[in-house]
Amino acid sequence: MSIVPEAERPNPYSAYGAHGSVLVLNSGSSSLKYQLVNPVGGEAIAAGIVERIGETSGGSQGIVTHTFAGNRTRREVEVPDHGEALRLALGLFEEIGPRLADAGIYAVGHRVVHGGSEFSGPVVVDDDVVARIDALVPLAPLHNPANVQGIRVARELLDDVPHVAVFDTAFFSSLPAEAYTYAIDRQVAAEHDVRRYGFHGTSHQYVAGKVARVLGRRVQDLNTIVLHLGNGASASAVSGGVPIDTSMGLTPLEGLVMGTRSGDIDPAVVFHLARNAGMGIDELDRLLNKRSGVLGMAGVNDFRELRRLIDEGDEHAALAFDVYIHRLKKYVGAYAALLGRVDVIAFTAGVGENDTFVRAAVCEGLAGMGIAVDPERNTGAGSGERIISPDWTSTLVMVIPTQEELAIARQCVEAVDGQHPTAAVTSG
Ligand code: ADP
């Protein structure tokens, strides 16, 4: 599908400036999220999600939701595959807006979960890059196949703009060896690429940088613990803008308690269940990734639901919350020890940005470490970047809304401009 003739790119007349807009795609196994972003101004021009891709059996339909200029359009249609999902999304841009030719698409950015050891930054996609991402499927069997599929169909349908892959692992590619090495037989580890990679890197990098900009400080001068608490959750210790450790590992399963993932457990739990519960590898994979975490303990994984259950006196929900907080606190303590001095703890993502109980509970009892949350600042109105610690603490506790799509869009522009240098994109 032709969007912008070669001669007009970058489109200097686009309503969104010289860099036009970037279409950011996030392909999951049964969903395709998209957002059209102005990489300079930072606003989301339009966004949408195609859900239940390939789930046409049993009368279940795919659902497409497209939001533009404050209007939300929802359709139920059959979506057999990712190609059809993207075709539907592109059709909605033409029908409801904005027309992609007017938006001046500068690049298509693809969120890719696993970049292995080879991708340490965004790359402009060509056939070789697709093959290399495909080769990483054994490391991320739950994520990379959908990412590769998304890239393939998007390159076919949007063949006249550059495509850029932005990796969840890239920010953590510079972790020190003592942080990324697992204490197992080194030959087995080397042969099978077993090491910590870390995920949510785009968000951790964006938030650590945003903290510095909000405070008017240099990122080089700050030690920050970033707590990305969404349905998936991860923590990182960032010293001078560089990560020195992170909680997710070979896959996004390690670390914090999450919506549906267990996070850290004794690996022998797997052997025990295989031997005594007759569970196979795939069943164990599903158990720990999809049926564990808050969902496994409390029966719900949305923290609003969890709060409702706790308020109703549900003891499983109360315990799930306590386990979640206990794990988080252990990571805060561990990362404080690694950093030596913590200037900022930054909460981000769905739970981190919205759940006042989680933020208060994580920081409770840490006054001796110079960490506290001010109750009024924590629960006060406001949805932007803000400080929620009292004035006396040595560590600032902040809420920093993550903007993964914007961060991906900016990395796309940098990658494309790196090939063909033009004006730099401002960051904000
Ligand atoms: P992901 O990108 O991993 O799907 P998000 O960062 O969008 O996750 O976070 C989604 C989660 O955020 C929801 O499952 C829910 O638990 C939590 N959440 C969203 N809004 C609120 C809210 N107002 N209060 C408490 N938790 C919330």
Side-chain angles (χ1 to χ4, degrees):
M1 177 174 176
S2 179
I3 295 174
V4 184
E6 184 75 26
E8 290 178 25
R9 206 174 56 237
N11 178 358
Y13 306 109
S14 156
Y16 306 107
H19 281 93
S21 57
V22 175
L23 180 63
V24 177
L25 300 180
N26 184 353
S27 308
S29 55
S30 64
S31 70
L32 173 72
K33 287 188 205 157
Y34 59 89
Q35 197 173 105
L36 188 67
V37 182
N38 174 357
V40 180
E43 74 272 16
I45 303 159
I49 179 166
V50 187
E51 294 166 278
R52 300 205 203 150
I53 300 172
E55 292 177 19
T56 45
S57 61
S60 139
Q61 293 270 33
I63 302 169
V64 191
T65 315
H66 183 87
T67 307
F68 171 53
N71 295 317
R72 191 163 165 273
T73 306
R74 186 177 183 279
R75 302 251 168 95
E76 288 193 20
V77 274
E78 265 194 30
V79 193
D81 53 36
H82 284 76
E84 186 56 25
L86 186 57
R87 252 177 243 114
L88 281 165
L90 297 178
L92 287 173
F93 275 108
E94 293 310 304
E95 184 190 328
I96 292 161
R99 288 191 57 243
L100 293 179
D102 299 335
I105 292 197
Y106 191 70
V108 179
H110 297 268
R111 179 180 184 189
V112 179
V113 169
H114 217 307
S117 302
E118 41 180 319
F119 294 108
S120 56
V123 287
V124 177
V125 174
D126 57 18
D127 291 346
D128 176 55
V129 167
V130 178
R132 284 158 65 203
I133 296 172
D134 201 26
L136 292 168
V137 163
L139 282 175
L142 302 181
H143 299 99
N144 273 35
N147 299 157
V148 171
Q149 213 173 352
I151 293 174
R152 286 202 171 116
V153 298
R155 287 180 79 208
E156 270 170 42
L157 292 174
L158 303 166
D159 60 1
D160 62 347
V161 281
H163 290 247
V164 178
V166 177
F167 300 90
D168 254 23
T169 46
F171 181 53
F172 298 117
S173 63
S174 61
L175 283 179
E178 65 271 24
Y180 73 66
T181 303
Y182 288 120
I184 65 168
D185 182 296
R186 69 171 186 268
Q187 277 169 356
V188 172
E191 204 173 316
H192 297 281
D193 303 313
V194 175
R195 51 161 284 180
R196 176 182 312 287
Y197 293 97
F199 298 86
H200 291 148
T202 309
S203 177
H204 286 273
Q205 182 175 23
Y206 171 83
V207 169
K210 189 73 180 179
V211 160
R213 289 194 294 279
V214 169
L215 298 177
R217 304 269 305 271
R218 291 175 353 131
V219 73
Q220 293 89 328
D221 298 333
L222 290 175
N223 283 349
T224 302
I225 296 175
V226 180
L227 301 176
H228 176 110
L229 310 179
N231 199 24
S234 58
S236 69
V238 183
S239 179
V242 178
I244 60 167
D245 205 352
T246 191
S247 59
M248 285 178 165
L250 174 81
T251 76
L253 181 55
E254 192 182 349
L256 303 176
V257 176
M258 310 181 209
T260 65
R261 298 188 192 120
S262 62
D264 298 335
I265 54 164
D266 180 345
V269 169
V270 173
F271 319 143
H272 175 76
L273 292 176
R275 290 191 187 114
N276 298 294
M279 288 186 167
I281 287 297
D282 291 336
E283 199 178 351
L284 284 161
D285 199 330
R286 267 195 307 280
L287 172 75
L288 298 181
N289 274 295
K290 307 252 188 228
R291 293 174 44 211
S292 295
V294 174
L295 178 72
M297 290 183 286
V300 297
N301 63 320
D302 189 305
F303 273 65
R304 289 161 288 197
E305 290 282 294
L306 188 71
R307 179 55 42 193
R308 189 180 54 74
L309 291 177
I310 293 170
D311 289 345
E312 286 171 3
D314 185 313
E315 63 191 51
H316 300 297
L319 178 61
F321 184 81
D322 291 347
V323 173
Y324 184 89
I325 297 299
H326 182 81
R327 182 81 51 82
L328 261 170
K329 268 195 174 174
K330 288 210 295 194
Y331 272 90
V332 168
Y335 289 173
L338 288 178
L339 289 166
R341 182 198 81 235
V342 184
D343 299 305
V344 178
I345 295 176
F347 284 91
T348 194
V351 177
E353 290 168 31
N354 295 299
D355 197 310
T356 57
F357 298 96
V358 166
R359 295 195 301 250
V362 171
C363 298
E364 194 184 322
L366 302 186
M369 295 170 69
I371 298 169
V373 159
D374 178 86
E376 274 177 32
R377 289 181 184 171
N378 186 32
T379 54
S383 56
E385 299 87 16
R386 55 204 187 274
I387 295 172
I388 58 167
S389 45
D391 293 335
W392 56 263
T393 57
S394 53
T395 297
L396 292 173
V397 181
M398 300 180 73
V399 179
I400 304 283
T402 193
Q403 290 192 282
E404 286 176 287
E405 281 80 8
L406 173 60
I408 289 172
R410 287 188 171 149
Q411 290 193 39
C412 285
V413 173
E414 277 164 29
V416 173
D417 286 357
Q419 288 197 321
H420 312 285
T422 58
V425 171
T426 55
S427 56

